[in-house]
Amino acid sequence: MKYYCVVETKLGFIALAGADGRLTHSTLPKESPEVALETLGAGIDDSYVEDCGAFGDLPKRLKDYAEGKKVDFSDVPVDLSGYGEFYKAALKVCQNVPYGEVVTYGDLARLAGSARAARAVGSAMSGNNMPIIIPCHRVLAYGGRIGGFASGLDWKRTLLRLEGVEI
């Protein structure tokens, strides 16, 4: 079974897509439900049904997160089947970076099992289909510099500030 949902939060509308009990895609907050769904792109087709209940308490947790509450998403089942082995490892490690904490690309590479793969970690983070749930915004460049963010540095700063981290 494939399903989707749009969650209205204090920051905007977040779209979720999932299949067989696992999250496959999420978006950053958008200005409307339509834009959030459009951002999911080709991930949604006629085989998907709208069902917020299929995501359990994730919609509520996202609302809480957007209000600045400390929320842990490390237990959310995610589908990483579309990624290579190292990318899977890096994304899984990233999913476990705690709220309000940051790591560098090098730290994440080491934790994912390949200390010299900081650039590959950057590529894995830029291909992350589940922002916030897999908190790639918590990954910084060497020396604690902000680094990049596929959705723009303003979003990265916004999410870090929400968690009490100033860069």
Side-chain angles (χ1 to χ4, degrees), residues 7-11 14 57-73 99 132 162-163:
V7 181
E8 185 175 6
T9 74
K10 184 178 178 181
L11 295 173
I14 298 174
D57 69 345
L58 183 56
K60 181 188 181 325
R61 289 162 72 181
L62 285 165
K63 289 177 184 185
D64 288 346
Y65 177 83
E67 291 175 6
K69 295 178 184 171
K70 185 176 181 178
V71 178
D72 178 7
F73 295 108
Y99 180 100
I132 299 177
L162 182 72
E163 297 181 20

Side-chain angles (χ1 to χ4, degrees), residues 107-129:
D107 294 335
L108 204 58
R110 237 181 344 278
L111 292 167
S114 188
R116 296 182 141 187
R119 286 181 187 242
V121 166
S123 293
M125 296 303 106
S126 72
N128 175 17
N129 288 334

Side-chain angles (χ1 to χ4, degrees), residues 19-35:
D20 303 320
R22 297 189 162 301
L23 184 69
T24 58
H25 294 81
S26 65
T27 66
L28 287 173
K30 303 297 177 187
E31 60 272 12
S32 72
E34 295 78 20
V35 172

